Amino acid sequence: LKVSDVVGESISRIKEVDGKVHAFLSVNEEEAQNQAAALDEKLAGTDERGLLFGLPMGIKDNILTKGLTTTCASQILSNFEPIHNATVVENLDQADAVTIGKCNMDEFAMGSSNENSSFKVTRNPWDTDRVPGGSSGGSAAAVASGEVLFSLGSDTGGSIRQPASYCGVVGLKPTYGRVSRFGLVAFASSLEQIGPITRTVEDNAYVMQTIAGHDKMDSTSADVEIDDYLSALTGDITDLKIAVPKEYLGEGVDEGVRESVQEALRELERLGATWEEVSLPHSKYAVAAYYLLASSEASANLARFDGIRYGVRVENESSLLETYKKSRSEGFGDEVKRRIMLGTFALSSGYYDAYYKKAQQARTLIKQDFDDILADYDVIVGPTAPTVAFKVGEQIDDPLTMYANDILTIPMNLAGVPAISVPCGFSEGLPVGLQIIGKHFDESTVYRVAHAYE
Ligand code: GLN
């Protein structure tokens, strides 16, 4: 088997289905084929191969790829070509994976359906009338439709796990600090992580092994030893203790989703684990705290897009200020503007105690809930999302309903703990995701449970 054939397969699959799925914003055909040819040559000359040798991958378009347009699905970056790679992209290059293209997303990773992309809406491969979830919807749809073997997404409040759930694939949000964010275009720096989206848990562990680790270019990346994730896939979960938060199976969770998760819990029991109901009482404040904090961070992070330093500039304005204003007004979409305004308001002088401080206090309580439960249990299990994939257009005019999609994924970003979504059956003919949440830096146990269950 030659790498050129594998890469050729991936590209022809994209040509066959992407006109319907719209998972890619750009396809790197020529460069991918050159890379494949180089790997084939290497294969002929030596036995030395990277861990992901010749595997076709998609990369979310908010992760920097040298010389390859990185748009964040925004008009303001529609012409932006990075001059360096993100650290994760460097790691994947070193492991001999092949970049096939850049995946669609909600603009600047703000959204839960991919409908906020300023270029096009990605469709769910299971039913193209439905959304793939977001914001890494392109990355999840690309894997689900067999266009690439794996992809990278980013998860600020659920953006890897929720689309993985909607598209019936496996998606991990690592512990905060486990994977370098150097070269990830920042939305909410204190919450987000890059992570792998794959078909199987084993594939996921392979990619994670490649991208995890300390990076001197990211001061928030942690200098904590990396486990051997593959050796965690023993299939043995006897005597493992699982906590099931009652808040995560209550009101607002669809009956079909609840049934699939309950069936998964029975399966985990058959495999030798035990579970008990617990409470995470402060999770009910998570969505409110998240939108305040994430928007505050976004308002500061997105200040750098002024039409001067990066991307698109509106020409011939009368003054510098007008150039800024016009470039930003034309370059950002409605949801991004909404967040910048909300964040700027929350951070303005006089409001700190009422909003930002309160939200940080709620965040501390939410994290404390997780620490308390995870001191007594190995993992926490529940659904990834309250519903299955919804129809394109169904929620786009109602931001608050849209925000509620992340009600079960946001608490983990606020707490910084690792969490995976694995497929656990179907409801209304659409995939349901099971979420498995672990202790800080204990991706191994998360993988062990997910793999045994899968
Ligand atoms: N849907 C959430 C938001 O819109 C989460 C996005 C994300 O994880 N990047 O902010």
Side-chain angles (χ1 to χ4, degrees):
L1 189 67
K2 286 167 70 182
V3 177
S4 333
D5 297 334
V6 175
V7 166
E9 268 303 309
S10 163
I11 289 169
S12 31
R13 181 77 182 151
I14 292 174
K15 288 185 177 153
E16 188 191 326
V17 302
D18 213 55
K20 287 186 224 117
V21 177
H22 308 290
F24 283 90
L25 286 175
S26 57
V27 177
N28 186 23
E29 184 168 352
E30 215 183 293
E31 192 37 48
Q33 263 150 358
N34 291 341
Q35 214 186 325
L39 288 173
D40 280 328
E41 226 166 274
K42 178 170 165 186
L43 189 59
T46 140
D47 291 343
E48 249 176 65
R49 299 193 226 166
L51 194 62
L52 304 174
F53 188 85
L55 300 182
M57 63 173 167
I59 295 181
K60 187 176 182 180
D61 213 20
N62 60 350
I63 299 174
L64 302 192
T65 43
K66 186 175 172 182
L68 265 187
T69 320
T70 299
T71 66
C72 293
S74 182
Q75 293 304 319
I76 207 162
L77 289 178
S78 53
N79 62 359
F80 172 57
E81 268 190 23
I83 53 168
H84 67 84
N85 280 328
T87 299
V88 290
V89 173
E90 284 293 320
N91 294 340
L92 291 163
D93 269 356
Q94 292 291 316
D96 295 331
V98 181
T99 304
I100 300 292
K102 303 296 297 284
C103 295
N104 197 16
M105 53 185 283
D106 287 296
E107 186 176 1
F108 285 104
M110 298 172 184
S112 308
S113 69
N114 255 253
E115 291 163 291
N116 293 338
S117 166
S118 78
F119 297 109
K120 57 188 180 182
V121 180
T122 299
R123 301 287 171 147
N124 192 311
W126 294 87
D127 173 355
T128 51
D129 287 338
R130 295 187 184 253
V131 302
S135 62
S136 315
S139 300
V143 173
S145 59
E147 294 175 305
V148 285
L149 213 90
F150 73 90
S151 63
L152 291 184
S154 68
D155 191 313
T156 313
S159 280
I160 290 174
R161 290 161 289 157
Q162 183 253 21
S165 169
Y166 284 8
C167 292
V169 292
V170 180
L172 174 84
K173 179 200 87 74
T175 309
Y176 185 77
R178 178 75 292 182
V179 173
S180 168
R181 288 187 299 110
F182 181 67
L184 168 69
V185 178
F187 156 22
S189 318
S190 79
L191 295 159
E192 57 210 7
Q193 278 285 289
I194 295 170
I197 299 178
T198 55
R199 272 274 176 66
T200 67
V201 174
E202 187 180 5
D203 288 357
N204 209 282
Y206 269 97
V207 181
M208 185 59 186
Q209 202 75 56
T210 310
I211 62 172
H214 180 240
D215 176 13
K216 64 177 189 321
M217 302 301 282
D218 171 6
S219 61
T220 65
S221 85
D223 201 354
V224 175
E225 208 179 318
I226 313 163
D227 289 343
D228 182 351
Y229 300 122
L230 291 158
S231 67
L233 311 179
T234 57
D236 182 9
I237 54 164
T238 0
D239 299 331
L240 190 110
K241 285 175 71 186
I242 298 173
V244 179
K246 63 170 191 275
E247 293 82 0
Y248 291 15
L249 281 172
E251 214 185 311
V253 177
D254 275 6
E255 194 49 42
V257 170
R258 190 179 305 127
E259 279 166 16
S260 298
V261 170
Q262 278 160 346
E263 181 50 37
L265 287 170
R266 285 192 285 275
E267 175 64 19
L268 289 165
E269 248 172 8
R270 280 194 285 275
L271 291 164
T274 55
W275 65 270
E276 278 168 5
E277 193 175 271
V278 300
S279 174
L280 292 170
H282 298 97
S283 279
K284 60 174 175 286
Y285 304 118
V287 172
Y290 168 87
Y291 277 97
L292 202 289
L293 296 171
S295 303
S296 298
E297 294 185 30
S299 71
N301 276 326
L302 270 58
R304 71 188 58 155
F305 303 109
D306 54 7
I308 303 293
R309 283 174 285 188
Y310 306 87
V312 175
R313 178 183 313 167
V314 171
E315 300 286 352
N316 301 323
E317 281 311 314
S318 50
S319 68
L320 184 62
L321 197 61
E322 282 304 310
T323 305
Y324 290 158
K325 264 208 255 180
K326 251 320 210 345
S327 300
R328 286 169 69 84
S329 304
E330 290 182 13
F332 290 137
D334 287 350
E335 184 61 27
V336 176
K337 287 179 187 158
R338 180 161 29 236
R339 308 264 181 128
I340 292 173
M341 286 190 284
L342 178 63
T344 307
F345 176 78
L347 292 178
S348 51
S349 96
Y351 291 120
Y352 175 82
D353 284 340
Y355 300 119
Y356 190 81
K357 187 174 164 199
K358 266 272 173 309
Q360 287 289 34
Q361 287 168 332
R363 180 177 188 170
T364 302
L365 293 173
I366 291 162
K367 179 173 178 296
Q368 193 60 51
D369 281 355
F370 277 91
D371 290 346
D372 290 348
I373 298 296
L374 288 165
D376 293 334
Y377 296 87
D378 298 297
V379 288
I380 299 173
V381 168
T384 305
T387 67
V388 291
F390 49 92
K391 290 230 163 82
V392 173
E394 202 176 305
Q395 299 188 1
I396 193 66
D397 298 324
D398 181 0
L400 290 182
T401 303
M402 189 69 92
Y403 294 173
N405 282 293
D406 304 312
I407 197 157
L408 303 172
T409 45
I410 280 174
M412 299 76 197
N413 298 78
L414 291 167
V417 290
I420 200 168
S421 179
V422 281
C424 73
F426 292 83
S427 167
E428 303 162 49
L430 294 160
V432 178
L434 182 74
Q435 189 173 200
I436 302 164
I437 302 134
K439 301 177 200 204
H440 287 102
F441 297 102
D442 190 16
E443 279 79 5
S444 282
T445 305
V446 171
Y447 276 139
R448 181 153 63 92
V449 180
H451 175 72
Y453 168 74
E454 186 182 49

